[in-house]
């Protein structure tokens, strides 16, 4: 029995739900790399990196092969790099929208003439609170 498409997509995105896995995929965008090069850049134990690479391999996001004594990893398809790029674009749009919302909130927080100044923003300070 096959899995519904939405469930397969959820599994794909769960695979991307770990920072080490994302970092590995980002590094592999530049081409195949041996495990030792990945370890040199990613600050994790070798056993942890091995586990994360196994998850990516089982999900079909990376491929591995031996090159003499080295185990080389690469993206299984250029679409993985496209997915990472789409994630960056979405994140950029979301953060831009949040910045615009913060700017709007700050602009609305400007006190009207004759009203009390806004709270200082210090932790624990509330308008009207005893000091």
């Amino acid at each position: 029995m096959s899995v519904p498409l939405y469930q397969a997509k959820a599994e794909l995105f769960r695979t991307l739900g770990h920072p080490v896995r994302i970092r590995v995929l980002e590094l592999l965008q530049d081409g195949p790399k041996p495990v030792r090069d990945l370890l040199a850049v990613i600050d994790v134990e070798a056993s942890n990196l091995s586990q994360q690479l196994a998850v990516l391999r089982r999900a079909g996001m990376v491929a591995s092969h031996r090159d003499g004594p080295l185990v080389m990893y690469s993206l299984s398809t250029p679409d993985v790099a496209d997915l990472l790029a789409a994630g960056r674009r979405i994140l950029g749009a979301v953060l831009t929208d949040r910045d615009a919302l913060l700017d709007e909130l700050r602009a609305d927080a400007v006190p009207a003439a004759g009203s009390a100044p806004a709270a200082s923003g210090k932790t624990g300070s509330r308008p009207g609170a005893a000091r």
Side-chain angles (χ1 to χ4, degrees):
M1 181 170 186
S2 75
V3 174
L5 181 58
Y6 63 86
Q7 189 172 346
K9 287 180 182 179
E11 286 297 320
L12 171 74
F13 284 107
R14 262 193 291 277
T15 300
L16 298 174
H18 194 285
V20 171
R21 291 182 215 144
I22 294 293
R23 187 67 182 128
V24 165
L25 295 173
E26 288 175 344
L27 293 169
L28 294 178
Q29 289 181 100
D30 297 330
K33 294 201 179 358
V35 173
R36 71 173 184 209
D37 288 3
L38 296 172
L39 271 172
V41 177
I42 303 172
D43 188 30
V44 295
E45 295 291 325
S47 61
N48 186 285
L49 180 60
S50 178
Q51 289 173 348
Q52 303 310 327
L53 287 167
V55 170
L56 291 169
R57 201 173 45 249
R58 281 191 303 271
M61 311 246 350
V62 299
S64 65
H65 69 277
R66 283 206 170 272
D67 185 9
L70 302 175
V71 178
M72 303 291 291
Y73 279 88
S74 60
L75 296 180
S76 60
T77 171
D79 292 334
V80 175
D82 294 342
L83 181 60
L84 292 172
R88 282 190 298 274
R89 286 191 306 274
I90 291 167
L91 188 57
V94 167
L95 294 177
T96 298
D97 288 348
R98 288 182 184 167
D99 287 345
L101 180 59
L102 279 174
D103 290 344
E104 186 177 329
L105 287 171
R106 287 181 184 129
D108 286 349
V110 174
S115 67
S120 68
K122 293 179 185 172
T123 304
S125 65
R126 294 184 320 235
R131 295 186 199 235

